[in-house]
Amino acid sequence: MARAQKGYRCRECGWETVGYVGRCQLCGEWNVLEPYVRNPGRSTAAASTAEATPARVVELADVAGAEEDRFPTTIDEFDRVLGGGIVPGSLALVGGDPGVGKSTLMLQAAARLAAAGRRVAYLCGEESPRQVRLRAGRLGVGGDGISLIAETSLDAALEAARSLDPDLLIVDSIQSVYCEGIESRLGGPAQLGEAGARLLSWAKTTETATFMTGHVTKSGEVAGPRLLEHLVDVVLYFEGAEHGALRLLRATKNRFGATDEVGVFEMTGAGLASVENPSAAFLDQEAEQASGCAVTAVIEGSRPLALEVQALAVSSSLATPRRVSSGLETARLHLLLAVLSRRVGLNAGDMDVVATVSGGLRLREPAADLAVAVALASAIRDRPVEQGVAFLGEVALSGSVRPVGQPGRRLAELARMGFRACVAAPNTQPVEGIEVWPVRHVRDAVAMALA
Ligand SMILES: Nc1ncnc2c1ncn2[C@@H]1O[C@H](COP(=O)(O)OP(=O)(O)OP(=O)(O)O)[C@@H](O)[C@H]1O
Ligand SMILES: [Mg+2]
């Protein structure tokens, strides 16, 4: 018989360690580790092989459901992000800031599915059925085929859901339900982890697609660490611009589809509407005349999007002028300002500089460098960029402009949005409807743009 093993266990999330440390390494909470003795009979390898019942083994070829039978929500942008529709038996997490529209999206998807003859169970732990009914009224959702489970005990709710036998279960939100037998605060890591695990087992054993919503903390994580992310099949984040009605749905994990796909919605009085022409939504038509604006095209998932970088540079009264960016990394902003200063002779050392990206999109590709550099140059000189001209290119520290990936698709999108020319690296093949103005150096691009 093996010796009993002493150690410490986190009372919040169950993380175990042999030696005491002040902070749980899994959930990050302080002073939550408690001494415990691991049951020697169950924990040793020898004991477990002797006593355990053998696990279920199936031949891969014999597993039923080889053909994919996902069902679309018929909300185009939602299906795009899901990879074509909802997969039966999948577990998904929809994270987002409070008020961004998670419940709205879920209710609209539920309504579409119910209209297609599927049954939906909606666990409203956060709101009363009356509140959900009010929202449904605003969204023009009749409610046939949608059963509300007003319950915060997950076990009771799952018992009710079992008798409903739905095609889709929505848990709104995961932070509002509790699991019996777990001593931890509501929405705490231990509760979340257990609720996630129980929902996973429910989804897999009943083959019911299950969506749970979750609030995001300020740092951008679904509250209660990333405990749930590795557990679920799909993680979607719903983001909104600070102002404005555009909402972006992004998959950061998807076991059934691409993860770089982004869905674009507009929040209206009657709910979320799919945006059919996102580029038009991202381009701020009126700002074109102003200085500091430059347009580029990025590839988000499977589609190109035209968007606008806006910059403002004003003389600063601070000893260390401010650099503020939203939608692009501040480090990138510093880098491009340094390139402009050293390679182009445009110095913003005594100016406060602000740079933003239209529509709340985040620039993740260096392909947008040239547009950012030109927007900054235009802001520093306070001269508008030539109209109808867009920019594509990565900018090196030397100031040279490098080619971007998939230039044809980006140029085609810019042409579609009415741009007549695009400043890009040499050897960029033009496409119909738009000229390419080749440049080797960011200095030449600035000269062309601010001519
Ligand atoms: N009459 C209305 N007209 C336009 N937009 C509305 C209207 N009523 C609500 N909204 C929008 O719906 C949002 C609330 O949506 P919803 O309740 O789905 O968000 P949520 O992400 O579920 O929030 P929570 O985290 O609080 O549950 C509001 O922030 C607002 O943008
Ligand atoms: Mg909600």
Side-chain angles (χ1 to χ4, degrees), residues 97-104 126 135 138 215 247 267-269:
D97 284 322
V100 72
K102 302 179 291 296
S103 305
T104 308
E126 210 153 74
R135 178 180 296 118
R138 183 164 59 80
H215 304 285
R247 302 280 188 276
M267 180 63 95
T268 70

Side-chain angles (χ1 to χ4, degrees), residues 101-112 114 120 122 124 127-148 170 172 267-272:
K102 302 179 291 296
S103 305
T104 308
L105 180 67
M106 289 294 106
L107 193 58
Q108 283 183 265
R112 291 289 187 101
V120 182
Y122 191 115
C124 46
E127 294 166 307
S128 67
R130 203 180 112 76
Q131 278 175 296
V132 180
R133 181 79 202 108
L134 278 176
R135 178 180 296 118
R138 183 164 59 80
L139 303 178
V141 171
D144 289 335
I146 304 175
S147 311
L148 295 183
I170 295 167
D172 189 12
M267 180 63 95
T268 70
L272 291 158

